[in-house]
Amino acid sequence: EVFMKYDCTLIEVNPMGETHNGRVLCVDIKLNFDENADFRQKDIFALRDVSQEDPRETQASKNGLNYIGLDGDIGCLVNGAGLAMATLDVIKLYGGNPANFLDLGGGASAAQVTEAFKLLNSDKHVRAILVNIFGGIMRCDVIALGLLKAATELG
């Protein structure tokens, strides 16, 4: 009921406990909400505390990017979640450590590509950036324009 009513994408209860009289209690819970439902869930989204979030993830979200920071040194700019996960796996297979999961998706603009590259470049742990784009879901000229603009702006 809660999942559907509040547009949740995740409800994780861990741990649960049972009192001596049989009452079940949730000791800790994590709730994630569908960001596309913010217009329906204004009260919930008003509670968001970005100071509790990774600033890189907050910045990516502002630019319409899917980003999760990791602890490696190879930045990844990829389109499509499946290709992104496969890219991370290949990096690990060959002894590298990915610094992030960043999915541009299939409809990114050149400005989003530029912001994604700037985001990766701002991570002090990143020593290299791997760009892996599947041209079947993303126009490669848009990727190229975004990368050129980022390179020009970053010097």
Side-chain angles (χ1 to χ4, degrees):
E1 180 181 334
V2 169
F3 192 88
M4 297 300 289
K5 182 177 179 181
Y6 295 104
D7 294 295
C8 293
T9 58
L10 171 85
I11 297 179
E12 179 181 305
V13 179
N14 185 18
M16 288 177 43
E18 184 177 353
T19 64
H20 66 282
N21 61 358
R23 187 170 174 217
V24 176
L25 301 173
C26 297
V27 181
D28 189 26
I29 189 166
K30 177 180 180 178
L31 299 168
N32 287 355
F33 302 95
D34 183 350
E35 291 180 6
N36 295 312
D38 61 347
F39 69 97
R40 268 194 307 268
Q41 305 297 342
K42 291 187 187 315
D43 291 343
I44 288 174
F45 281 88
L47 298 172
R48 184 176 182 185
D49 180 2
V50 295
S51 72
Q52 297 295 311
E53 299 176 20
D54 182 327
R56 299 171 300 176
E57 292 178 19
T58 304
Q59 184 62 35
S61 178
K62 288 178 184 175
N63 290 297
L65 303 168
N66 297 310
Y67 177 93
I68 299 170
L70 302 172
D71 59 359
D73 58 359
I74 301 173
C76 302
L77 194 149
V78 186
N79 69 324
L83 182 59
M85 293 302 294
T87 301
L88 301 184
D89 288 344
V90 169
I91 290 170
K92 290 295 284 183
L93 180 67
Y94 285 94
N97 287 306
N100 63 278
F101 169 96
L102 195 156
D103 173 16
L104 287 174
S109 67
Q112 285 175 300
V113 174
T114 300
E115 292 306 316
F117 196 83
K118 286 180 180 178
L119 179 64
L120 297 179
N121 200 57
S122 71
D123 186 336
K124 65 182 181 194
H125 300 291
V126 170
R127 295 184 309 125
I129 297 175
L130 173 65
V131 178
N132 191 6
I133 300 299
F134 175 59
I137 62 172
M138 184 68 206
R139 290 181 41 201
C140 292
D141 62 323
V142 172
I143 299 294
L145 287 171
L147 292 176
L148 285 171
K149 186 169 192 266
T152 302
E153 291 179 14
L154 294 171

